[in-house]
Amino acid sequence: RCVYELQCVYDTRSSANEKQSRLVISGTTMIVLCESEVDEVIGLYYHRTKGLNAKKLHGLISKHFGGVGEKRIQRYINNQKRAQSIHPKFLNKAPLLPVLSSKVQHCNQLDLVDLSDMPVEVEGLTYKYVL
C-alpha cells in the first residue's frame, strides 16, 4: 500500500527549472500522474529517446514518475504508426517446419536472394542474384 504526500518537486516534463506542487509517493520524489497525463509522459519520453523499447522506457520513466507500467508503455508504442515503421511487425511469417533427412545430402535447400537493386560486376559479368 502506497502513501502519498504533497511536495514541491521538479517536473521533468517542463523545460523551466521551477518547482511545482505535486502529489508524490511518500519518501521519494516520484510524481504520481493523473490518468490523463500518462500517455503524454510516455509520448514525451518516447520521442526524446527516439523510439526506445518498452523495457528501457519503463526504466527511465519509473525514476521520475510512479504508477506507469511496462504494459501501458508497450500498448502506447504499439498504437504509434511511427513505431510500426521503425520496428515493423510481420504477421505473415511462414511457420517454421524442420527439415528431416535420413541420409547425408538427401535434402538441400537453396535461397535465391534478389539483389537487383545492388548489382555487382565481376570480370565483366553483372550479378543480380545470390544463391
Side-chain angles (χ1 to χ4, degrees):
R1 185 170 178 237
C2 288
V3 179
Y4 306 105
E5 59 187 46
L6 197 60
Q7 277 186 9
C8 287
V9 292
Y10 291 106
D11 193 346
T12 58
R13 293 177 292 168
S14 64
S15 59
N17 270 340
E18 299 174 356
K19 285 190 171 185
Q20 297 177 352
S21 184
R22 297 294 307 247
L23 191 65
V24 297
I25 297 175
S26 189
T28 66
T29 58
M30 290 175 52
I31 298 171
V32 178
L33 296 171
C34 299
E35 182 69 26
S36 60
E37 295 176 315
V38 174
D39 282 342
E40 175 192 336
V41 168
I42 295 170
L44 181 70
Y45 276 83
Y46 181 74
H47 293 296
R48 275 187 191 170
T49 58
K50 297 183 176 125
L52 280 181
N53 63 25
K55 191 170 191 168
K56 290 181 181 178
L57 269 179
H58 181 258
L60 288 174
I61 292 172
S62 64
K63 290 178 184 176
H64 305 287
F65 302 100
V68 182
E70 193 174 323
K71 286 183 180 180
R72 177 76 183 259
I73 295 170
Q74 187 63 55
R75 195 173 347 136
Y76 176 86
I77 291 172
N78 289 343
N79 291 333
Q80 296 297 309
K81 289 185 180 183
R82 182 172 177 264
Q84 289 294 324
S85 64
I86 295 172
H87 306 288
K89 292 182 180 177
F90 298 104
L91 302 175
N92 60 348
K93 289 183 182 178
L96 293 175
L97 298 173
V99 177
L100 302 175
S101 177
S102 58
K103 301 177 191 171
V104 176
Q105 294 294 330
H106 184 256
C107 294
N108 293 317
Q109 180 179 352
L110 295 175
D111 291 329
L112 184 63
V113 179
D114 181 14
L115 296 174
S116 58
D117 296 339
M118 302 175 284
V120 176
E121 198 165 314
V122 178
E123 298 177 4
L125 295 171
T126 304
Y127 296 97
K128 295 183 181 180
Y129 299 95
V130 175
L131 286 179

